[in-house]
Amino acid sequence: MGFLRRIESRLEEVFEGGIGRTFRSHVQPVELARKLTKEMDDNKVISVQQVYVPNAYTVFLAPDDREQFLAYEARLRTELAGYLTEHARREGYSLPGRARVMIETADELEVGTFGIAAEMEETPPPVAMDSPPAADALPAEFGGGATPPAETAPPAAPVVPIPPVAPIIDPFAVDAVDEFAPAAPTPPATPAPPVVPAAPVIAAAAVAATTPAPDPVPVAPVAPPVAPPAAGANWTLIWPGGEVAIGGNAIVIGRSKDCDVPLADGNVSRRHAELGRSEEGFVLRDLDSTNGTMVNGRRIRSATIGAGDEITIGMSTLRIEQRHG
């Protein structure tokens, strides 16, 4: 099998490399499907009992190549994801989540050439190999048509009853004593004996002493807010390719050369994230990127950051520093 596989790989190189570059033909969907499965096979990780493969794939196309897919790009991505799911099930692979295929435009590519970036993207709960993806419906040949199960609502928090508090009787208020006293027949019209105030006070104090106090409700500690940047300080964003001063305008980070911080990385979107000032400090916002933005190892959509926080975009690490003078 190894000898036949090497012959097959050599034929692929000759066909795709030689003829494809000579005639500069447009990329065809069948080529994308074949290369996606090859990326899955080449990036498999053998564990103790499972063989894990990437489930998130980004296809980078030249502008003219992507234009030919605009009319049915959504359907093509769903079909390629279903093809990968079927290939993983046939080979006995385990996916950390449902298979996803994204398509992006790369201006630096020529017609007929394309690139693929693969990564493992865990999406709870894990998808079984014999079921279709939860979000996108697969074609009929891959077992599509199943309706994803509805999510169950989390159980409501139990209600803790508050014990009743014994009433305090004012010995000098005749109306209050009569309100809590049991009903009794009207006595005959005789002179009433003087009321001794000590007895109801002692009884009320005894009832209050025997009533247990409610347990205190625990209060979650509040995280201290991020200190806002000093008004007269000079703040700088440091990145592997250099540094840029943080002023009043937002700083755009991405793969495009027009961005304020250009990152030459295939895992970075053209306009990936944006950094700006706010009253609380600096706000980092993800611009719906493909691979996401990380702050201190945690994926965020929008977060308030400051000096010392570590920003990870693609393979690059950025940070904010204060410059004096």
Side-chain angles (χ1 to χ4, degrees):
M1 294 297 293
F3 176 72
L4 295 177
R5 184 60 180 268
R6 287 195 298 271
I7 293 178
E8 181 181 357
S9 301
R10 183 58 182 167
L11 289 176
E12 288 182 357
E13 293 176 0
V14 172
F15 178 77
E16 298 176 2
I19 299 180
R21 284 192 295 268
T22 301
F23 295 98
R24 294 185 180 274
S25 59
H26 286 283
V27 175
Q28 299 299 320
V30 66
E31 296 176 333
L32 298 178
R34 183 166 61 250
K35 284 297 184 181
L36 285 170
T37 56
K38 188 175 185 301
E39 285 291 326
M40 176 179 286
D41 295 335
D42 292 343
N43 289 276
K44 62 185 177 183
V45 177
I46 301 176
S47 183
V48 179
Q49 296 180 346
Q50 302 288 337
V51 178
Y52 296 99
V53 291
N55 64 308
Y57 298 83
T58 304
V59 179
F60 298 95
L61 297 174
D64 292 342
D65 282 330
R66 188 177 183 183
E67 186 177 358
Q68 64 174 337
F69 299 139
L70 291 180
Y72 58 97
E73 182 176 302
R75 176 67 180 178
L76 176 61
R77 291 190 289 106
T78 302
E79 184 178 1
L80 292 175
Y83 184 78
L84 287 173
T85 303
E86 179 66 18
H87 178 74
R89 186 180 63 170
R90 185 169 56 249
E91 297 294 331
Y93 297 151
S94 294
L95 293 172
R98 68 180 183 89
R100 296 195 310 118
V101 177
M102 292 76 68
I103 299 178
E104 289 195 9
T105 304
D107 298 333
E108 60 271 17
L109 294 178
E110 298 180 357
V111 174
T113 60
F114 60 91
I116 296 177
E119 66 172 343
M120 294 190 183
E121 183 180 81
E122 185 175 3
T123 54
V127 179
M129 292 307 305
D130 55 352
S131 63
D136 299 330
L138 299 179
E141 58 268 22
F142 298 121
T147 303
E151 296 183 357
T152 58
V159 179
V160 180
I162 301 176
V165 180
I168 300 177
I169 302 176
D170 188 356
F172 299 99
V174 178
D175 295 340
V177 175
D178 293 339
E179 179 181 357
F180 294 99
T186 304
T190 57
V195 178
V196 180
V201 172
I202 296 174
V207 173
T210 57
T211 302
D215 296 334
V217 180
V219 179
V222 179
V226 179
N234 296 325
W235 296 90
T236 304
L237 178 63
I238 309 297
W239 52 290
E243 58 185 48
V244 59
I246 305 176
N249 298 328
I251 296 176
V252 179
I253 308 169
R255 196 181 71 250
S256 175
K257 297 179 181 178
D258 298 332
C259 294
D260 302 305
V261 178
L263 299 177
D265 186 351
N267 296 316
V268 178
S269 299
R270 293 180 58 79
R271 291 175 58 86
H272 197 104
E274 183 181 69
L275 176 67
R277 284 179 177 265
S278 69
E279 296 180 356
E280 294 79 10
F282 299 101
V283 176
L284 180 66
R285 183 168 62 91
D286 186 83
L287 300 179
D288 295 330
S289 64
T290 301
N291 296 323
T293 303
M294 309 283 287
V295 174
N296 298 330
R298 181 174 60 88
R299 186 163 182 169
I300 58 97
R301 296 285 296 175
S302 178
T304 302
I305 62 174
D309 290 329
E310 185 176 273
I311 306 169
T312 304
I313 296 179
M315 302 299 293
S316 302
T317 301
L318 304 87
R319 67 183 186 278
I320 297 175
E321 289 187 359
Q322 181 180 358
R323 298 294 176 85
H324 300 280

